Amino acid sequence: MNDRVTASETNRDRVRRLVIEPLAETGFRFKQGTDPDKAKAHLNRITDALAHMSDEELDRMRASLQTKGEGSSRCFWPASATVLALAEVCHPRPMEDVPAIASWFRSAAGREALAADRLAAEFRFWERKKRPPLNEAERRKISEVAAEWRRRAQYVSERQRDGRSPGHDELEWLRWFEALTKRAQALVEGGSAA
């Protein structure tokens, strides 16, 4: 283990260690004359945008960002928008970390998705796309995914109940699905309580 890593390392520290510092060491910098406070704020936005990622994902982000330098020498820090777009592809930010978007689930629309038993699928769509479904094809796809997930969850649960082993992958999927459903329900219930 790296001797710089301690039990008290924050997520920001981890992003700095795995992404920011290595990129700075390869030559990333700010344009001459950049206000130091603005430079610091820019790097803080990057660290906050990546803080939810695993070490492996941060390594991938660093490798990808190495090729995204700006300017004719490709050595200036990329814009926050570039980093955010790459981060969403690598590992979408959890909905709970994006209050403006998560508020949809606190509205009547979230309760409607819960009542229609498509809440987990709709939550996953929003988490990946950071937007609502825009047309009938997307709404239909969400309903199809929700129906498939219900069937799969029922199948795995029945196998468990009957004492038959559903398999490690199926059990992992069921745990993921149940956790996703709880996260989505917590947002809806937060809105109901309000």
Side-chain angles (χ1 to χ4, degrees):
M1 185 175 213
N2 188 326
D3 60 326
R4 295 173 58 197
V5 179
T6 66
S8 62
E9 182 179 47
T10 66
N11 280 336
R12 256 190 183 184
D13 294 337
R14 199 171 51 83
V15 173
R16 285 186 187 106
R17 176 175 53 84
L18 295 171
V19 179
I20 303 298
E21 291 170 7
L23 289 174
E25 289 169 7
T26 63
F28 269 45
R29 60 188 175 85
F30 288 97
K31 294 177 184 173
Q32 189 172 5
T34 300
D35 178 272
D37 290 335
K38 286 185 179 181
K40 182 179 179 180
H42 181 78
L43 293 180
N44 284 343
R45 274 192 302 278
I46 290 173
T47 58
D48 291 342
L50 306 181
H52 67 282
M53 294 183 175
S54 70
D55 287 3
E56 183 180 309
E57 291 165 337
L58 290 172
D59 286 340
R60 283 197 299 264
M61 282 297 298
R62 181 198 36 75
S64 181
L65 287 170
Q66 276 181 209
T67 64
K68 307 301 182 279
E70 295 182 354
S72 60
S73 297
R74 316 288 289 161
C75 64
F76 297 129
W77 285 100
S80 296
T82 301
V83 177
L84 291 172
L86 285 170
E88 282 297 314
V89 171
C90 181
H91 180 153
R93 211 165 159 202
M95 287 288 289
E96 297 87 344
D97 291 352
V98 189
I101 296 174
S103 67
W104 179 89
F105 287 91
R106 293 183 187 102
S107 71
R111 292 187 298 279
E112 178 186 315
L114 178 63
D117 206 10
R118 65 172 192 273
L119 184 66
E122 198 148 329
F123 180 87
R124 186 69 171 154
F125 180 91
W126 272 81
E127 190 165 59
R128 285 184 166 170
K129 306 278 188 179
K130 300 295 187 274
R131 65 169 176 82
L134 298 177
N135 55 49
E136 189 54 40
E138 288 181 341
R139 286 186 284 280
R140 186 173 43 252
K141 180 65 177 170
I142 289 169
S143 293
E144 290 168 3
V145 167
E148 173 57 31
W149 286 358
R150 280 192 306 275
R151 282 191 296 276
R152 189 173 178 185
Q154 182 178 359
Y155 169 79
V156 176
S157 296
E158 285 174 0
R159 287 187 67 88
Q160 279 185 301
R161 217 174 12 260
D162 296 344
R164 297 176 286 157
S165 176
H168 180 72
D169 289 349
E170 289 298 312
L171 289 173
E172 284 296 311
W173 178 85
L174 184 61
R175 281 192 282 275
W176 170 85
F177 174 70
E178 289 172 345
L180 182 73
T181 301
K182 284 179 185 173
R183 288 173 57 210
Q185 287 174 334
L187 287 177
V188 171
E189 290 165 7
S192 298

